[in-house]
């Protein structure tokens, strides 16, 4: 694996080109100043919108501000992420965040104003001013919220409570990221060293079972010590959400969480129910894993160790070429777009000191996507590349084919494009691999990805549903209640092959996503949708391919469920979930025979 001691050592071709956003800092400063002025101008519209012309002037200026602000914010964020130690970059990001607060404050009057209008008045304004046709769908979409928006004074009070309402999430963030100190583990030289999150992930893949067990116990130790504090923050977060749902007159917290994407609660319930009805292959996988590992008992610290000793070194150039070949079924235009990503430096490839960890895609309307990687020349990095390029192409095509107002796609559909790429990649690798050990390694990789992105997220989604229902009933939420629900679900999903350590029931205490309620289910629906689509594309279904490419160009031009229906995926029925679970069953069956 290539390692770099400094960002300056990385070849220019493997670093993203931020000059596509701003050629120099002066231009960034100019936009920042201009946005401040535009925000002040927007504030002047408060109480002054009386006809179609003034409404159009406000919306047009707001969109122009949004365009500039997205560029200003993206530039400062990307600067920070390429070296988080750089104080000058942190200063840029702090200024961009401060500007965001000013913009929100300047425009906070508008939604209560809009929803104070009756529908006839809004239609009259649109007929008066031709330019409002561009904003028409968005304006009427806001009307969906009318029953859930309070008076101007009440909204003002709620906005002032924002910081207090986010306190449970912020408190957990401080506990989880700043205060928690993990127990000690035995280092390579036999000395005791303090465990870190990065070490934990690596140790969970260690072939030495005692090392895995030691790391597992050490990792959970502080969560058990702080169990009552964390239970209090999670309980408060759930109760806040339930209270806000009541204040805003939603039937339930779940329906409030689904409202933005216009998803009926039956989709959420169908995901959980269909998964549980077809859980047997997942139980079978626990048995297969236990047999392959050769252990008497399968425990939680046995779930992440690879079942094959194969370690493939795949250079970045080789990974890129492999990805291009694997994604050829998506057509020439798609492949050409991928080549442009590399040639025009949309991607920041290498891990360097101070660089943000992980990977992401950031679409910037009017410029292009920016992709952050920490490429390590291995199989995981190859899959991460294909995954993030899926998001990147989705961003690029939506920006090219949609106006700014509908270019950004919903998180609900985001994981579809990335996972379709991964399914096509695993199919290509398996088709072209003759070595049985490598095939085992690939199958194991995909099965474990299925577990993490699908089954685990469905289990988490059910935990959120059950805990919010408890709060809505007025039942207490504490350590014992969380433990009982979480352990019950874990046993249900993982089956009888698992032997449960005391720590398993405390799994809820370390999940940041629980502070952003009813979000994780989107990973599972996105994953299932992608399996469904990729399978059809690989079967040569030309209509599905054409519909899928149109979907990538659609941004948020329709509600997520409707966009997916146009590709042939109907999540209001069990079919896409059943198809993906059938695929999982086939993978486990094939793997068990190797």
């Amino acid at each position: 694996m290539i390692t770099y001691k400094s960002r300056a050592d990385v070849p220019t071709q493997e670093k993203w080109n931020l000059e596509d956003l701003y050629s120099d800092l002066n231009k960034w400063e100019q936009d920042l100043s201009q946005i401040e002025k535009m925000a002040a101008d927007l504030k002047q519209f408060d109480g002054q919108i009386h006809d179609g012309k003034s409404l159009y002037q406000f919306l047009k200026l707001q969109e122009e501000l949004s365009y500039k602000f997205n560029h200003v914010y993206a530039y400062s964020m990307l600067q920070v992420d390429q070296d988080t130690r750089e104080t000058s970059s942190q200063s840029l990001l702090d200024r961009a965040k401060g500007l965001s607060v000013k913009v929100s404050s300047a425009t906070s009057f508008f939604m209560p104003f809009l929803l104070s209008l009756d529908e006839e008045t809004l239609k009259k304004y649109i007929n008066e001013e031709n330019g409002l046709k561009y904003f028409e769908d968005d304006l009427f979409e806001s009307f969906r919220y009318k029953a859930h928006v309070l008076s101007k004074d009440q909204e003002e009070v709620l906005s002032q409570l924002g910081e207090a309402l986010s306190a449970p999430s912020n408190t957990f963030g401080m506990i989880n990221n700043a205060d928690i100190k993990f127990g000690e583990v035995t280092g390579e030289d036999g000395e005791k060293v303090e465990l870190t999150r990065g070490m934990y992930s690596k140790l969970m893949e260690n072939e030495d079972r005692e090392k895995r067990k030691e790391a597992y116990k050490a990792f959970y130790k502080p969560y058990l010590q702080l169990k009552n504090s964390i239970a209090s923050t999670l309980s408060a977060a759930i109760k806040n959400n339930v209270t806000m749902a009541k204040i805003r007159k939603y039937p339930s917290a779940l329906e409030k969480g689904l409202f933005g994407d216009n998803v009926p609660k039956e989709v959420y319930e169908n995901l959980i129910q269909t998964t549980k009805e077809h859980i047997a292959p997942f139980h079978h996988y626990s048995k297969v894993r236990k047999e392959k590992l050769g252990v008497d008992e399968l425990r939680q610290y046995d779930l992440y160790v690879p079942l094959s000793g194969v370690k493939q070194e795949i250079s970045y150039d080789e990974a890129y070429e492999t990805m291009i070949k694997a994604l050829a079924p998506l057509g020439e235009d798609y492949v050409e777009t991928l080549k442009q990503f590399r040639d025009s430096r949309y991607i920041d490839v290498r891990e360097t000191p101070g660089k943000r960890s992980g990977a992401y895609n950031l679409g910037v309307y009017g410029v292009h996507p920016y992709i952050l990687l920490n490429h390590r020349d291995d199989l995981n990095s190859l899959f991460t590349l294909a995954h993030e390029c899926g998001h990147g192409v989705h961003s690029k095509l939506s920006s090219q084919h949609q106006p700014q107002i509908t270019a950004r796609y919903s998180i609900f559909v985001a994981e579809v494009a990335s996972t379709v790429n991964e399914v096509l990649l695993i199919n290509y690798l398996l088709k072209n691999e003759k070595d049985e050990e490598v095939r085992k390694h690939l199958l194991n990789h995909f099965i474990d990805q299925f577990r993490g992105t699908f089954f685990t997220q469905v289990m988490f989604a059910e935990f959120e549903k059950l805990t919010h229902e408890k709060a809505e009933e007025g039942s207490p939420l504490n350590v014992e209640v969380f433990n009982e629900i979480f352990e019950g679900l874990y046993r249900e999903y993982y089956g009888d092959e698992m032997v449960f350590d005391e720590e398993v029931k405390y799994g809820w205490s370390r999940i940041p996503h629980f502070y952003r309620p009813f979000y994780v289910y989107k990973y599972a629906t996105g994953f299932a949708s992608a399996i469904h689509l990729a399978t059809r594309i690989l079967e040569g279904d030309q209509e599905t391919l054409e519909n899928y490419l149109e979907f990538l160009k659609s941004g948020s031009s329709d509600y997520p469920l409707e966009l997916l229906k146009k590709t042939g995926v109907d999540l209001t029925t069990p079919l896409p979930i059943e198809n993906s679970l059938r695929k999982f069953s086939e993978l486990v069956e094939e793997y068990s025979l190797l």
Side-chain angles (χ1 to χ4, degrees), residues 2 4 6-16 316-317 345 347-350 352:
I2 301 173
Y4 292 96
S6 158
R7 183 170 179 80
D9 299 334
V10 179
T12 302
Q13 198 56 37
E14 293 187 356
K15 291 187 281 194
W16 53 31
Y316 178 66
D317 287 339
R345 295 174 50 206
I347 307 175
D348 207 76
V349 180
R350 296 295 171 184
T352 49

Side-chain angles (χ1 to χ4, degrees), residues 407-543:
R408 182 174 290 181
Y409 48 80
S410 157
I411 288 170
F412 189 95
V413 297
E415 294 305 312
V416 176
S418 52
T419 308
V420 163
N421 279 12
E422 291 198 61
V423 179
L424 295 177
L425 175 59
I426 192 79
N427 179 77
Y428 173 83
L429 293 172
L430 286 169
K431 193 174 173 183
N432 291 281
E433 186 55 65
K434 301 292 181 275
D435 185 303
E436 193 170 284
E437 280 304 305
V438 176
R439 284 183 64 78
K440 275 181 7 190
H441 182 57
L442 291 167
L443 282 166
N444 182 213
H445 174 93
F446 195 42
I447 289 167
D448 282 346
Q449 189 201 15
F450 226 119
R451 180 189 66 209
T453 312
F454 186 83
F455 290 104
T456 299
Q457 306 310 325
V458 177
M459 184 178 80
F460 286 173
E462 188 169 6
F463 177 83
E464 288 184 303
K465 182 173 180 288
L466 295 173
T467 51
H468 277 79
E469 285 171 354
K470 288 265 185 201
E472 284 163 344
E473 292 162 4
S475 301
L477 290 175
N478 51 39
V479 173
E480 287 72 29
V481 173
F482 290 141
N483 281 357
E484 184 184 343
I485 294 173
F486 198 84
E487 185 177 11
L489 290 172
Y490 215 97
R491 289 182 182 278
E492 202 174 348
Y493 280 76
Y494 278 83
D496 297 335
E497 289 297 332
M498 284 280 290
V499 175
F500 289 81
D501 288 83
E502 177 70 7
E503 288 81 359
V504 168
K505 67 177 72 163
Y506 292 95
W508 56 268
S509 66
R510 50 174 288 253
I511 310 299
H513 277 112
F514 290 158
Y515 295 84
R516 189 178 176 182
F518 307 114
Y519 169 80
V520 295
Y521 87 101
K522 298 176 189 182
Y523 288 118
T525 51
F527 192 82
S529 301
I531 297 283
H532 186 96
L533 287 166
T535 303
R536 293 278 171 88
I537 290 166
L538 286 167
E539 287 168 354
D541 185 333
Q542 196 60 29
E543 186 182 356

Side-chain angles (χ1 to χ4, degrees), residues 226-246:
L226 295 166
K227 60 189 178 187
N228 291 304
S229 299
I230 298 174
S232 175
T233 61
L234 182 56
S235 172
I238 292 168
K239 287 173 182 174
N240 281 355
N241 199 41
V242 166
T243 302
M244 287 304 295
K246 282 179 185 167

Side-chain angles (χ1 to χ4, degrees), residues 156-212:
E156 181 64 30
V157 171
L158 282 185
S159 71
Q160 289 173 13
L161 285 173
E163 197 172 331
L165 291 169
S166 62
S169 174
N170 293 338
T171 302
F172 176 75
M174 293 306 291
I175 291 171
N176 203 37
N177 298 317
D179 295 344
I180 268 189
K181 295 286 180 281
F182 298 109
E184 292 187 327
V185 293
T186 310
E188 293 300 319
D189 54 4
E191 296 291 313
K192 288 287 183 182
V193 294
E194 190 176 328
L195 183 67
T196 65
R197 289 183 196 279
M199 282 170 61
Y200 179 69
S201 298
K202 288 191 175 76
L203 285 167
M204 283 295 96
E205 296 178 359
N206 197 297
E207 290 178 15
D208 185 334
R209 197 176 191 221
E210 282 306 309
K211 279 193 180 296
R212 297 201 301 272

Side-chain angles (χ1 to χ4, degrees), residues 38-82:
M38 291 165 89
D41 290 344
L42 282 172
K43 199 171 179 64
Q44 298 305 310
F45 280 90
D46 189 0
Q48 302 302 314
I49 301 176
H50 303 299
D51 54 19
K53 184 181 178 183
S54 51
L55 177 59
Y56 174 66
Q57 287 171 337
F58 171 82
L59 292 171
K60 189 168 181 290
L61 181 60
Q62 187 183 41
E63 186 174 71
E64 286 168 8
L65 183 152
S66 175
Y67 181 86
K68 280 187 186 297
F69 179 77
N70 288 339
H71 288 201
V72 161
Y73 194 89
Y75 184 79
S76 56
M77 176 185 139
L78 296 168
Q79 287 278 15
V80 167
D81 288 354
Q82 64 191 21

Side-chain angles (χ1 to χ4, degrees), residues 270 274 278 528-529 531-532 536 568-583:
N270 168 54
T274 308
H278 298 82
S529 301
I531 297 283
H532 186 96
R536 293 278 171 88
V569 175
D570 186 353
L571 286 166
T572 63
T573 73
L575 187 64
I577 312 299
E578 288 171 350
N579 284 349
S580 59
L581 291 171
R582 190 178 303 115
K583 179 68 176 173

